[in-house]
Amino acid sequence: MFYFDYSATTPVNSDILAAFEKMNHQFYANVGSMHTAGVTANDQLAQARTEVASFLGVQDEEIIFTSGATESNNLIIQGVADARKKEGKHVITTMIEHSSVYDTYRYLEEYHNFEVTYLPVDENCRIRLEDLQAALRPETILVSIMHVNSEVGSIQPVEEAIQLIRAHSDAYIHLDMVQSFTKIPYAFTDLDINFASISMHKIYGLKGSGLLYRRLDSKIVRRMFGGMQEFGVRGGTANTPANMVVGKTIALALENIEKKHAHVDTLHQRLRQFLEQYDFITINTPKESYSPYIVNFSVSGLNSDDILYTLDQAGICISTKSADVAKAKLPSRILYAMSRCEQRATSGVRISLSHLTTEFEFDYLLDNLKMIFSQI
Ligand SMILES: Cc1ncc(COP(=O)(O)O)c(C=O)c1O
């Protein structure tokens, strides 16, 4: 298999899997149990939380273990809406969010009478700060922005956006960091945010494992009623073995981060140069402020699913959209938002790269793309 769909998910690192298995055998007791095994598991969970908190430079109580970023996003958006609805019912997000954010905002709008501003994007798939400033109101209680767009890899101007929001409102700030965490350089502690969501399976960790960062002074109402686990923010028996390998997952992802970035960027630039030869191709990933891990392009005259199936026959895995919506036979919401062009939005192809991608795999991909393009 020639895998180029790392933004959808990554293969789990075998050391992480081995550690997870070991922890399952050793620390399976319920962390809420009063016996020694339960107390030991609880201590291990606390240590795991401290390890993760120290990677992010935050307090232990600010780390909530979840089942992934979909849960984190839902919990943050619905939980803040509940906690702050008496202060205001206006919220802001963007037109290019992952469905776990976008659809949760739609839900607030449809079922809870919230007014939602969906910020448009420019041709580089980036929000405009003037649109954000114009949207902020005294009754705005939450703003959610994705750090790196999962379909085209554009980096949003989050530092400037945060400054604007802080200067003009009391809104909480939530960043979806799924595609940026350990992939592009930034210091978590430099970002003055209330909430963040992070997923482990995008960084060679376990599926069904994620994080929610909550600054301690930020109000939130739980969605899962039950026990008082995770500081009362998320009920349910802790997945101690999975949570115990989150620190190791992050540590491995942070190893040689610059070297990995440079390797992937070399491949990114090669793919870009290759694609630029064809006048029927439009590259959707911006040239500046981009994540090298994603290259998205549209092929005029071809439907993206046809490219996907042809490459699949050659054993190559790519995607046309984000995996959450890939099966829906609709134009890409993200490509449409940035281009306003139906044709471009139905012919998008996403190649997502990894530090694991070899020259051999990459050449094989280019040969196969060449073959497809020669028939146009
Ligand atoms: C930007 C973004 N947010 C959220 C998610 C959802 O993450 P998870 O699969 O951990 O629920 C994804 C995964 O595709 C994503 O790319």
Side-chain angles (χ1 to χ4, degrees), residues 27-83:
F27 303 109
Y28 54 82
N30 192 319
V31 295
S33 295
M34 304 288 279
H35 45 67
T36 306
V39 172
T40 307
N42 196 39
D43 287 348
Q44 292 293 329
L45 182 64
Q47 269 181 41
R49 201 184 303 280
T50 304
E51 193 186 358
V52 173
S54 66
F55 275 124
L56 298 188
V58 303
Q59 297 179 50
D60 293 11
E61 294 78 10
E62 296 180 317
I63 296 294
I64 312 294
F65 289 112
T66 67
S67 65
T70 296
E71 184 190 337
S72 302
N73 284 335
N74 269 267
L75 175 50
I76 293 163
I77 299 162
Q78 294 183 48
V80 169
D82 261 356

Side-chain angles (χ1 to χ4, degrees), residues 83-131:
R84 299 195 72 188
K85 63 186 170 208
K86 291 202 182 92
E87 295 167 61
K89 293 194 84 172
H90 178 244
V91 284
I92 300 175
T93 189
T94 80
M95 290 170 85
I96 56 158
E97 295 301 307
H98 184 264
S99 58
S100 57
V101 170
Y102 191 80
D103 289 355
T104 311
Y105 273 91
R106 297 282 299 267
Y107 161 81
L108 291 184
E109 200 171 29
E110 208 171 316
Y111 293 98
H112 295 279
N113 286 321
F114 272 79
E115 203 186 323
V116 184
T117 302
Y118 298 93
L119 298 174
V121 288
D122 63 15
E123 65 282 4
N124 288 317
C125 203
R126 257 194 293 277
I127 57 163
R128 293 179 203 90
L129 294 169
E130 53 271 31
D131 292 335

Side-chain angles (χ1 to χ4, degrees), residues 68-70 73 98 100 146 150 176 178-179 199 201-202:
T70 296
N73 284 335
H98 184 264
S100 57
M146 73 193 328
S150 47
D176 179 338
V178 169
Q179 301 288 349
S199 179
H201 74 93
K202 307 284 187 184

Side-chain angles (χ1 to χ4, degrees), residues 146-165:
M146 73 193 328
H147 198 175
V148 166
N149 179 266
S150 47
E151 238 171 86
V152 306
S154 53
I155 301 175
Q156 299 305 309
V158 292
E159 287 90 353
E160 297 87 335
I162 291 167
Q163 271 184 13
L164 256 183
I165 299 164

Side-chain angles (χ1 to χ4, degrees), residues 82-299:
D82 261 356
R84 299 195 72 188
K85 63 186 170 208
K86 291 202 182 92
E87 295 167 61
K89 293 194 84 172
H90 178 244
V91 284
I92 300 175
T93 189
T94 80
M95 290 170 85
I96 56 158
E97 295 301 307
H98 184 264
S99 58
S100 57
V101 170
Y102 191 80
D103 289 355
T104 311
Y105 273 91
R106 297 282 299 267
Y107 161 81
L108 291 184
E109 200 171 29
E110 208 171 316
Y111 293 98
H112 295 279
N113 286 321
F114 272 79
E115 203 186 323
V116 184
T117 302
Y118 298 93
L119 298 174
V121 288
D122 63 15
E123 65 282 4
N124 288 317
C125 203
R126 257 194 293 277
I127 57 163
R128 293 179 203 90
L129 294 169
E130 53 271 31
D131 292 335
L132 172 62
Q133 183 160 353
L136 288 165
R137 307 179 197 164
E139 68 273 21
T140 310
I141 57 158
L142 177 65
V143 181
S144 298
I145 302 174
M146 73 193 328
H147 198 175
V148 166
N149 179 266
S150 47
E151 238 171 86
V152 306
S154 53
I155 301 175
Q156 299 305 309
V158 292
E159 287 90 353
E160 297 87 335
I162 291 167
Q163 271 184 13
L164 256 183
I165 299 164
R166 291 295 183 224
H168 294 95
S169 80
D170 288 327
Y172 283 170
I173 303 173
H174 160 215
L175 294 188
D176 179 338
M177 292 190 161
V178 169
Q179 301 288 349
S180 65
F181 187 64
T182 72
K183 300 256 173 89
I184 58 164
Y186 64 91
F188 190 87
T189 41
D190 287 351
L191 299 169
D192 174 17
I193 55 175
N194 300 85
F195 294 97
S197 25
I198 291 170
S199 179
M200 288 303 114
H201 74 93
K202 307 284 187 184
I203 57 167
Y204 310 90
L206 299 174
K207 291 182 174 53
S209 170
L211 294 176
L212 184 166
Y213 161 74
R214 175 184 63 133
R215 209 172 72 186
L216 265 191
D217 60 358
S218 313
K219 292 185 279 183
I220 188 166
V221 175
R222 67 209 324 237
R223 313 315 303 159
M224 295 281 204
F225 293 94
M228 288 305 288
Q229 293 94 343
E230 301 297 316
F231 314 108
V233 173
R234 193 234 189 201
T237 301
N239 188 351
T240 313
N243 299 343
M244 283 177 72
V245 298
V246 169
K248 191 178 176 66
T249 307
I250 299 174
L252 287 173
L254 289 174
E255 245 174 40
N256 299 321
I257 182 168
E258 276 156 24
K259 209 167 140 198
K260 288 174 187 165
H261 192 277
H263 169 69
V264 171
D265 200 29
T266 304
L267 299 177
H268 181 107
Q269 297 309 334
R270 266 187 69 197
L271 183 52
R272 203 178 255 286
Q273 277 164 18
F274 166 79
L275 295 169
E276 278 168 357
Q277 301 171 70
Y278 300 95
D279 56 6
F280 49 82
I281 287 178
T282 310
I283 302 176
N284 299 314
T285 302
K287 268 197 172 134
E288 276 164 32
S289 287
Y290 63 96
S291 160
Y293 290 86
I294 297 174
V295 181
N296 189 306
F297 57 93
S298 297
V299 188

